[in-house]
Amino acid sequence: MLLISEQNGRKKEDLNGKLVSQTRLTIAVRYLSPLRKIIAMGYGKHNKRSAFNMAVADAMRYAIEGMYPDLTVNPQKVRLTRGGVLHPLNPAAVRIGDKLTVTFDPGFDKLYGFGDDEVILCAYNPDVGVAGINEERCRRQDGALELQLPVQLADAAVTVYLFARDRSGKRFSNSVFLGVL
């Protein structure tokens, strides 16, 4: 007889695969939880829970790197918002003390963005679990944006993301990672 399948019961590797997946999920949820409000806005037409679940799935798929048990989040691959609006072009971020300044090209494409699209800057420290966005409205045509960091982030390194929201407030660009400053 030619044996074409064999069932030996549960293998040890299967349990490790489950443990690896659970660890990846835990790391993604821990990283993204302080950013829930941004994710709820930026993942489009979904309710808050499914928007967060989609962001976690994206983080698990693209942003968690390394071999178990040394798994880490690559903040450059994390996506806070997702959409078809044109993101701010050629952004550059500078930190002086507790103030972040971001400059970007004020140009736009009439199909995917307009001059009055709102540009939002997010500063986040995953170790402290504190994230903040700019209070003052900044438009794409302004070409620059400043953010005064809160006391909790004044002396800490912050991970910086930038994205755009259309004039109706319903459509977003993909978020852009600007670095850890």
Side-chain angles (χ1 to χ4, degrees):
M1 175 166 136
L2 177 62
L3 194 60
I4 57 171
S5 68
E6 183 177 356
Q7 186 174 1
N8 291 334
R10 181 172 250 172
K11 295 181 182 179
K12 188 174 184 179
E13 295 87 32
D14 292 341
L15 293 174
N16 288 342
K18 184 177 179 181
L19 183 61
V20 170
S21 294
Q22 289 173 341
T23 304
R24 291 169 65 87
L25 175 66
T26 302
I27 291 169
V29 168
R30 187 177 304 133
Y31 187 87
L32 294 174
S33 285
L35 302 164
R36 280 182 184 267
K37 289 183 180 179
I38 294 170
I39 291 167
M41 294 186 314
Y43 262 76
K45 301 173 185 172
H46 307 282
N47 66 38
K48 290 179 183 178
R49 181 178 297 175
S50 64
F52 186 74
N53 290 343
M54 289 171 64
V56 168
D58 283 349
M60 287 178 63
R61 189 175 298 120
Y62 304 114
I64 307 295
E65 296 179 342
M67 297 297 290
Y68 180 81
D70 299 321
L71 298 171
T72 58
V73 175
N74 181 345
Q76 187 171 5
K77 295 182 179 179
V78 171
R79 188 183 301 172
L80 304 184
T81 60
R82 184 168 76 174
V85 174
L86 181 68
H87 60 77
L89 300 173
N90 303 318
V94 176
R95 180 176 180 170
I96 300 173
D98 61 350
K99 186 178 280 189
L100 286 175
T101 304
V102 176
T103 58
F104 49 90
D105 184 358
F108 54 90
D109 177 348
K110 290 186 180 182
L111 290 175
Y112 303 108
F114 295 96
D116 63 348
D117 290 343
E118 184 177 5
V119 177
I120 300 171
L121 178 64
C122 175
Y124 173 49
N125 184 308
D127 297 329
V128 179
V130 174
I133 61 173
N134 52 302
E135 289 182 66
E136 295 181 20
R137 187 177 173 111
C138 174
R139 296 176 302 177
R140 185 187 304 269
Q141 64 195 18
D142 296 339
L145 171 62
E146 285 189 353
L147 177 67
Q148 182 70 39
L149 294 173
V151 175
Q152 301 95 321
L153 300 177
D155 297 326
V158 291
T159 305
V160 183
Y161 296 95
L162 187 70
F163 55 94
R165 175 169 54 184
D166 75 345
R167 58 178 84 152
S168 69
K170 295 180 181 177
R171 295 180 38 232
F172 287 79
S173 70
N174 290 336
S175 58
V176 178
F177 173 74
L178 299 183
V180 178
L181 305 175

